[in-house]
Every structure is written in C-alpha cells, then in structure tokens.
Amino acid sequence: MMNWQKLLSPERLGTRHSSVGAFGRSDFHKDYDRIIFSSAFRRLQRKTQVHPLPENDNVHTRLTHSLEVSCVARSMGLMVGHQLAEKGHLPDGIEPDHMAAIVQAAALAHDIGNPPFGHAGEYAVRQWFLDADPKYLAPLSEAERADLTTFEGNAQGFRLLTHKRSGLYDGGMRLTYATLASFVKYPWSAIGSPYPEKMKFGAFQREMDLLTEVADATGLIRTGAQSFCRHPLVYLVEAADDVCYALIDIEDGVELELVDFSVFENLLLPCIPGDIPAEYHRETNIRRKMTFLRGKIITGLLDALTDAFVLREEQLLNGAVDGDLLSCADGPFNEMIATAKQFSEKQIILNRRKVQIEVGAFACLETLLDTFCKTALEIHQAKDDAELSYRTGRVRELIGNDSMPVGAPLYNLYLTILDYISGMTDDFAARLARDIGGGQH
C-alpha cells in the first residue's frame, strides 16, 4: 500500500535538496514557477489544441488549455487536501496548499511534450517510423523501436522535464518527485504497457531509469518489469484535463460557428441544479451565456470529483482504481462529459477544414523526418566529421552539433531529433518544412 508521506515527497530529481517547510513558497510552488517560465511552455501558445492555427483569437491553444487545466486541478487539489487534512491523513509539514501546488504544476505541464499540430503530429511521427525503410530501425532494439512506432507526447514530456538539455544539471528542471509522479499519466514504457492496444506510455527506454527513480522515491507499486501503478494525484490531473477539453472543444466549436449554441446549452443545462436565473434567459450574448454555464458545471464537477477521490482514498493508495475519476463521480457529470466527447469527435474534430490542415501536418512532419532521420543514419554510420556530407553537416548544425555526435547510437540521435521537432510551434514546423522541401508545402 502506498502512503502520503512518500507520495508527497518534496525531494528533487537530481538533488536531495528540499524546502517544503519554507515560509510562503515551497518546492512544490517552485515547480510551477520553473514550468511556466520555461521556453517549452511558452511555445505552447503557438501549438494546436483542437483547431489548428485558428484565426479567431478566442479559440484555445495548447497554452491557454494548459493554464485552464492547471486552475481546475489546483482547485481539486486544494479541496482534496483540506478533506484529507480534516481526516488527519496528511503527513507532518504538508499543507492542503502543497497538494494543490503539486497538482497544479503537474497539470500545467501535462501537454508540454506534444509535437506541433496536436495529436496529428503524434500520428505522423508514428507513421513515419512504421513506414520507414528497414535500415532506419535495424540497429535498434525491440523496445527502442516501440518507442518510435508508438511515439507518445506524454513520454516526450517526461523526457523534456527530466532531461539535462532542459537545464544546466542532471535532472532537467529538477522538479520534485511528487510533481513528476503526478505528471506521469502512464507510468510504464511502450513495451511494458498493461494496455498495449492504446499506444499510451509515459517514458522512453532512455528515461526508464529516471521513471523508476521517481516511482521508488514516491513509493509507487511496481506492476511489471517496466510498469508501476499510478500516483493517486494523477487522477485529479486527468480529470481536470477531461473536464476542460470536453467542454472547451464544444465552446470553441460555437466560436468558430461549427456548432450551434443550442448544442452546448442543451448539454449543460440539465446538469445544473436549481432554477436558472431570469438574467440568463434575458441575456442575448452567447459568450456570456457560455461563461455562465461553464462556471456552474465546473463548480458541480469539482465537488463531485473531490468527493469521489476522498471516498476512494484507500483504493487509490492500493493502486486498485480502474478507469478514471469521472466514472466514479456521482451525478449526471460522467454521462455529460462522455456525450460531449462523442459529439466533439463526430462533429468538431472531423470538421473538413481541420482534416485538410491535419493532412498538411502529415506532409510537413514527413518532410522534416525524411531529412533529419537520413542525417541521423549518416552520423551514426560515420567514423569522423570528415565522412559527413555537406548537407548532413548543415542539418546537424541546425539541430546542434553537440547533441548529435558522430558515431552516436542511432536511437539517441532519433530522440534528439524528436526533441527538436516536438519543441517546434506549428508555424515554425510548417515554415521549416517548406524551406527544406523547396516550397512544396
């Protein structure tokens, strides 16, 4: 059984220093600051959430989505923290506000590893490696090949947060073990996944030692050779994400006039307890009405999700909760969120303009991967710099000579390339592919 003392560890990856008892600003609060001030987080402002490169500035990007998820997560973390404190279950020195800060930081970073063009970018990377000439994967182990052919933004995010390239020292951003464990939605490798059909995993082979270190430091239960049970706070981060994107997808659809406001209204109104104020019915501004409905629903959801978490505390500590927290929540919310997701998938995500742009995203990333992976193969096979072609040398300079040493393992070179591509904004990726491809995209 897991325990809160270890689960809420304030020690940092890469250093044993911690200051959880410091006045005002604990290490958990510093985690949030380190993430929000990072260049990787800033780049989310030009990355797709659902609708690629929108002209309407009211539509969400990855950055605004991440900020909203972190707010919802913080509220749930604080509410859960207070209830656990009332039961005497929080360790000495840990306050409800600390739990809120952990969940808020983990939620803020939850999309930080996503490549450009949203989930289409993930699919494009996977497909390139699946379709690649066998010579590109031949030197790799089965586990390394699985990392690439089932490429996952979550694993890329864990790499970004923990990799030395994110900072001067080992440990990357040097976040606390508690925040990192709460961030890892899928605490297993691609080949260690208990759900291989879902192609979801939280760490590449290169970072499995770091994931194991985080799991051991927080006391996560081992479930396989390369898998652990989830940290209980992952359920709060996941629920906050589900709530935001299910509601916000439809709200963005209304903004873009892909969906009639009545769809949003009919979905949410039945879930709001009590009478709807007369002001709502007199209001003619659709944005104001959406703001009112969203606020009411999120308030109800926070209460239901918090209660579900605390009620299942023992199951969570035993790693025995199946599914997500929403499915455990009382009231009409689970069905409402499920309906919202289904509607988004059928009516919004498959919108013709969005599909056209995603097809372009595939072409864009294929151009980049064709060029970069060919370069990686040549660098891997070369004995010294003199053997590199002029073109390879120039591409290597673009990515960074120091990070692509001659003769390096091919798997390591691919991960460096994916670091570079995943860090791109939608705009930059499209522009670079156009330049590389001679203006054909």
Side-chain angles (χ1 to χ4, degrees), residues 203-231:
F204 298 123
Q205 288 300 308
R206 180 82 170 171
E207 282 73 52
M208 267 311 299
D209 286 348
L210 294 176
L211 177 59
T212 300
E213 181 180 340
V214 170
D216 289 344
T218 52
L220 303 187
I221 300 167
R222 183 178 284 277
T223 57
Q226 290 193 347
S227 65
F228 303 88
C229 74
R230 284 175 155 192
H231 190 292

Side-chain angles (χ1 to χ4, degrees), residues 3 52 73 78 106 112 115 153 159 169 186 193 203 216-217 259 262 275 287-288 310 329 339 350 363 374:
N3 65 80
L78 190 60
I112 204 166
R159 175 173 166 81
Y169 310 105
Y186 310 106
S193 171
D216 289 344
V259 181
S262 62
D275 296 329
R287 283 184 185 159
R288 290 178 191 156
V310 175
T339 302
L350 294 181
K374 180 180 179 181

